């Protein structure tokens, strides 16, 4: 949860962050599994901090949330 807390303070765009062990790729979009250790840790961390993780909440409501891989790569390049 400390990583999420610090990331939130410095403005990490978590809507583009995927650490899922078993993501699915559909039409160039990443879909979280919501079952693996990383997904469970992410859900727990946001909940523990009282922060709404819009990406996971919408996906949990069975709405398909897609992450554009190109946007993710652009954001990653900013931090390299």
């Amino acid at each position: 949860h400390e990583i999420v807390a610090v990331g939130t303070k410095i403005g990490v765009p978590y809507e583009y962050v995927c650490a899922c062990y078993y993501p699915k790729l559909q039409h160039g979009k990443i879909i979280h599994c919501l079952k693996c250790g990383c997904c469970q840790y992410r859900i727990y961390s946001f909940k523990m901090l009282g922060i709404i993780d819009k990406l996971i909440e919408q996906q949990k409501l069975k709405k398909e949330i897609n992450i554009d891989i190109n946007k993710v790569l652009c954001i990653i390049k900013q931090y390299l």
Side-chain angles (χ1 to χ4, degrees):
H1 69 279
E2 291 95 354
I3 294 170
V4 173
V6 171
T8 301
K9 286 181 184 178
I10 65 171
V12 171
Y14 282 110
E15 65 271 19
Y16 299 115
V17 175
C18 178
C20 179
Y21 292 151
Y22 310 106
K24 293 180 182 176
L25 187 60
Q26 295 177 350
H27 308 292
K29 309 288 183 179
I30 298 171
I31 309 296
H32 294 81
C33 78
L34 301 180
K35 296 177 183 177
C36 71
C38 276
C39 284
Q40 290 298 309
Y41 183 75
R42 177 180 176 138
I43 291 166
Y44 172 78
S45 296
F46 276 86
K47 188 174 183 178
M48 183 178 180
L49 294 169
I51 301 169
I52 295 172
D53 184 351
K54 294 176 187 175
L55 181 76
I56 297 297
E57 288 303 313
Q58 289 178 2
Q59 193 167 332
K60 283 170 63 176
L61 293 173
K62 306 255 182 209
K63 293 180 181 177
E64 184 176 276
I65 301 301
N66 297 319
I67 299 173
D68 186 331
I69 291 175
N70 292 323
K71 286 183 181 178
V72 172
L73 293 174
C74 286
I75 291 169
I76 290 170
K77 288 177 185 177
Q78 289 177 358
Y79 293 97
L80 295 178

